[in-house]
């Protein structure tokens, strides 16, 4: 299941673990990325809190936790090569994985068509 | 994430596009695929299709074309036809040697206020019949009013409506020489009236990137033709405001409104070098400009704080307004970052900031608060990248 937030994040659910990243639309708006900061594995995140940071040459942007849960894995390749997040934001440029407190919360988020409409 | 806070332009940007002024090159920017943003009341290109990193690197390696028509160009023209008559009025506002400025030469300076703060920084060029002053976009109305108020009736002070194009980079001279061969002989800070495609332009060998290059004032109706001719050269790419900022930051050049402002004196701003010897204590015409008492005293005794270069030791950029601390824990802020970001040519974050003189020596380690963590930075000499000016 692939879902999107109005804060321009995507989540792909596998069991009760969601892979989280920024949307292609967000990456395009931000421009070339030069720095990525990710949460620590094991950290518990509450929906809406700042979980990661992506920085372009010009500005830093917080990436908020789209749902509540515990961080199980982070994308080390994104840390060492921030440009990879901009190059493939919805694939190899994923940011972290989150074991969701409540999988059903995914249902309240936008599907791909709804997000495409939102981001217009 | 908030794309608004990212400096990216959201479709719902609060400033309606039709309230913004447009430069004479607006249609060209749109044709080139620029992402336009509001800047100092103008719709300006933030970046083109190549993107900021490529635009930055291309300017350092070849040549970049910049539309800087938003900047203020002010002609100060004595009715007598002799520029010399206006030199005294300008020297009363600007602490540099303007009487001694040769025809066809340009000098960097600033308008100071009575407290010794920097109202704006600028370039003054001397032509046979007038001075041509180039000021920052956000300050041009105030600068025009201030200069006009200080000039007698016999001197006309007016905004010049020309477009302003910057061509910057190691290939800039080769490119411009194909259109105007006489520019090849110009040295850094020379100013010439030059015909380009049959139109009289005012060309100076200067810029805001740390590279060799030119700034070209072109009558608005000819601006697009001149721009297209420059962009037709294979060495030239159009460059947006994003790369203009990263280029000037690496070059250690201050931005008014960020690194320098009315709260900063030229001496604090590490710009005392620009105050001409003739205007200093013991010079031929010491003082005689707003704030002279404070500024000349600071030159003697040294300022309490200074603008410095800063290199974060880690990979995280440290941005403007980050407070600076002397220690990794505890204590009150001792200064602040005034500009900061990523230096594409260095492949590392760079910043400038204000620090107490005791912490301003290169090699001093200070700490910036970034998202609640204290990150170490080293005070570093400016510029971060060597200048490519043609001084010879």
């Amino acid at each position: 299941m692939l879902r999107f937030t109005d804060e321009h994040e995507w989540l792909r659910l596998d069991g009760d673990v969601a892979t989280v990243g920024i949307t292609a639309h967000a990456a395009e708006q931000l421009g070339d990325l030069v720095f990525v900061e990710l949460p620590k594995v094991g950290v518990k995140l509450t929906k809406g809190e700042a979980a990661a940071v992506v920085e372009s040459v010009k500005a830093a942007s917080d990436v908020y936790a789209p749902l509540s849960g515990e961080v199980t894995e982070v994308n080390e390749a994104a840390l060492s090569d921030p440009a990879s997040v901009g190059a493939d934001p919805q694939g190899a440029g994923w940011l972290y994985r989150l074991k969701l407190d409540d999988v059903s919360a995914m249902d309240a988020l936008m599907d791909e068509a709804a997000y495409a409409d939102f981001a217009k | 994430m908030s794309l608004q806070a990212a400096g990216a332009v959201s479709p719902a940007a609060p400033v309606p596009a039709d309230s913004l002024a447009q430069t004479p090159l607006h249609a060209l920017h749109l044709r080139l695929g620029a992402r336009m943003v509001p800047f100092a009341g103008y719709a300006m290109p933030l970046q083109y299709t190549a993107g900021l990193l490529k635009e930055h690197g291309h300017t350092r390696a070849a040549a970049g074309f910049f539309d800087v028509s938003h900047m203020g160009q002010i002609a100060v023209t004595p009715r007598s036809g002799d520029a010399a008559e206006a030199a005294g009025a300008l020297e009363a506002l600007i602490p540099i040697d303007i009487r001694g400025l040769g025809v066809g030469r340009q000098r960097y300076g600033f308008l100071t206020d009575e407290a010794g703060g920097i109202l704006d920084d600028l370039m003054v060029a001397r032509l046979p019949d007038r001075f041509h002053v180039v000021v920052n976009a956000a300050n041009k109305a105030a600068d025009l009013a201030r200069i006009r108020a200080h000039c007698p009736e016999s001197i006309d002070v007016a905004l010049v409506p020309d477009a302003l194009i910057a061509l910057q980079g190691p290939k800039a001279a080769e490119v411009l020489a194909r259109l105007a061969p006489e520019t090849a002989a110009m040295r850094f800070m020379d100013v010439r009236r030059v015909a380009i495609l049959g139109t009289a332009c005012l060309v100076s060998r200067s810029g805001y990137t740390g590279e060799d290059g030119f700034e070209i004032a072109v009558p608005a109706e000819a601006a697009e033709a001149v721009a297209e001719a420059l962009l037709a050269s294979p060495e030239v790419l159009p460059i947006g405001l994003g790369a203009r900022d990263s280029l000037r930051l690496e070059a250690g050049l201050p931005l008014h409104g960020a690194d320098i402002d009315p709260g900063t004196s030229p001496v604090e701003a590490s710009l005392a070098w620009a105050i001409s010897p003739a205007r200093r204590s013991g010079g031929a015409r010491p003082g005689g400009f707003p704030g002279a008492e404070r500024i000349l005293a600071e030159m003697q005794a040294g300022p309490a704080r200074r603008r410095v270069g800063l290199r974060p030791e880690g990979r995280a950029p440290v941005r403007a307004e980050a407070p600076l601390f002397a220690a990794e824990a505890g204590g009150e802020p001792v200064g602040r970052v005034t500009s900061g970001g990523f230096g594409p040519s260095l492949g590392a974050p760079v910043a400038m900031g204000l620090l107490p003189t005791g912490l301003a020596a290169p090699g001093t380690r200070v700490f910036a608060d970034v998202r609640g963590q204290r990150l170490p930075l080293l005070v570093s000499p400016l510029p971060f990248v060597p200048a490519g000016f043609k001084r010879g």
Side-chain angles (χ1 to χ4, degrees), chain B residues 328-382:
Chain B
E328 194 162 8
E332 293 296 309
V334 294
R336 68 185 161 90
V337 172
T338 54
S339 283
F342 184 79
S345 300
L346 295 161
V350 287
M352 291 194 277
L354 287 166
L355 279 174
T357 303
L359 292 172
T364 307
R365 176 177 283 135
V366 295
F367 298 85
D369 182 292
V370 176
R371 297 182 286 272
Q373 280 189 301
R374 296 239 179 130
L375 304 183
L377 309 89
L378 285 182
V379 176
S380 302
L382 294 172

Side-chain angles (χ1 to χ4, degrees), chain B residues 287-301:
Chain B
F289 52 85
E293 195 174 326
R294 174 198 175 178
I295 291 168
L296 296 180
E298 277 185 350
M299 287 182 79
Q300 298 278 332

Side-chain angles (χ1 to χ4, degrees), chain A residues 15-86:
Chain A
D16 60 354
V17 175
T19 301
V20 180
I22 63 170
T23 65
H25 169 74
E28 202 255 318
Q29 292 291 310
L30 294 171
D32 302 311
L33 296 181
V34 297
F35 180 75
V36 170
E37 193 173 280
L38 297 176
K40 298 233 182 329
V41 171
V43 162
K44 289 201 188 290
L45 295 174
T46 304
K47 179 183 174 178
E49 79 174 290
V53 178
V54 293
E55 301 206 20
S56 67
V57 176
K58 284 205 69 69
S61 305
D62 285 323
V63 182
Y64 305 112
L67 293 173
S68 299
E70 181 179 330
V71 177
T72 60
E73 191 181 349
V74 299
N75 184 358
E76 300 286 342
L79 294 173
S80 56
D81 181 16
S84 68
V85 175

Side-chain angles (χ1 to χ4, degrees), chain B:
Chain B
M1 73 179 63
S2 162
L3 295 178
Q4 205 73 55
V9 187
S10 131
V15 181
D18 58 6
S19 73
L20 294 171
Q22 297 179 356
T23 77
L25 297 173
H26 187 80
L28 176 66
H29 298 315
L30 299 184
R31 281 207 302 284
L32 292 169
R35 180 184 297 170
M36 305 300 286
V37 295
F39 185 86
Y42 283 80
M44 295 298 291
L46 177 66
Q47 61 176 50
Y48 298 85
T49 50
L52 197 160
L53 290 179
K54 282 202 180 71
E55 291 173 23
H56 179 112
H58 190 88
T59 305
R60 293 258 185 263
F65 163 95
F66 304 72
D67 178 13
V68 291
S69 302
H70 60 313
M71 297 190 72
Q73 303 180 70
I74 301 173
V76 181
T77 314
R79 288 185 193 147
S80 65
D82 180 8
E85 200 189 308
L90 290 175
E91 282 203 351
L93 295 174
I94 304 168
I96 65 173
D97 182 6
I98 294 172
R99 291 174 198 266
L101 185 61
V103 172
R105 292 289 292 164
Q106 173 174 277
R107 207 162 261 167
Y108 175 76
F110 18 80
L111 289 163
T112 52
D113 67 16
E114 285 61 27
I118 303 172
L119 291 171
D120 200 5
D121 65 341
L122 47 77
M123 289 285 191
V124 183
R126 184 173 193 156
L127 306 176
D129 63 330
R130 62 190 148 99
F131 287 97
H132 185 83
V133 185
V134 180
V135 303
N136 284 294
N139 301 325
K140 64 182 169 185
D143 293 352
L144 177 74
R146 186 168 177 85
I147 294 170
R148 189 175 273 157
H150 272 74
C151 283
E153 287 278 303
S154 59
I155 300 174
D156 289 324
V157 180
L159 281 177
V160 180
D162 287 0
L164 192 63
I165 290 169
L167 185 69
Q168 300 279 298
K171 300 280 188 191
E174 195 180 314
V175 170
L176 189 58
R178 276 184 234 134
L179 295 176
E182 62 269 51
T183 56
M186 293 173 67
R187 293 166 299 140
F188 183 57
M189 298 297 242
D190 275 350
V191 180
R192 296 278 180 277
R193 271 197 253 241
V194 172
I196 302 179
L197 304 179
T199 299
C201 299
L202 186 66
V203 177
S204 71
R205 194 154 196 169
S206 56
Y208 193 49
T209 60
E211 299 297 325
D212 182 25
F214 301 87
E215 289 169 310
I216 308 162
V218 189
E221 63 276 11
E224 196 165 299
V226 170
E228 300 262 26
L230 293 170
L231 287 164
S233 303
E235 300 93 335
V236 180
L237 269 188
I239 312 296
L241 289 183
R244 180 168 158 85
D245 192 54
S246 56
L247 288 159
R248 71 93 196 164
L249 178 58
E250 282 186 342
L253 299 169
L255 171 64
H256 193 270
D259 307 294
I260 58 176
D261 59 27
T264 325
S265 80
V267 190
E268 289 178 326
S270 301
L271 296 172
W273 59 267
I275 298 174
S276 307
R279 310 299 306 279
R280 301 178 187 179
S281 303
R285 298 184 302 287
F289 52 85
E293 195 174 326
R294 174 198 175 178
I295 291 168
L296 296 180
E298 277 185 350
M299 287 182 79
Q300 298 278 332
R305 55 179 194 159
R306 293 188 71 89
R307 178 176 64 97
V308 297
L310 297 165
R311 300 269 319 241
E313 292 183 25
R315 295 184 54 187
V318 178
R319 310 281 178 181
E321 300 306 324
L324 293 169
F325 296 85
E328 194 162 8
E332 293 296 309
V334 294
R336 68 185 161 90
V337 172
T338 54
S339 283
F342 184 79
S345 300
L346 295 161
V350 287
M352 291 194 277
L354 287 166
L355 279 174
T357 303
L359 292 172
T364 307
R365 176 177 283 135
V366 295
F367 298 85
D369 182 292
V370 176
R371 297 182 286 272
Q373 280 189 301
R374 296 239 179 130
L375 304 183
L377 309 89
L378 285 182
V379 176
S380 302
L382 294 172
F384 297 108
V385 295
F389 306 142
K390 189 181 184 253
R391 295 189 190 270

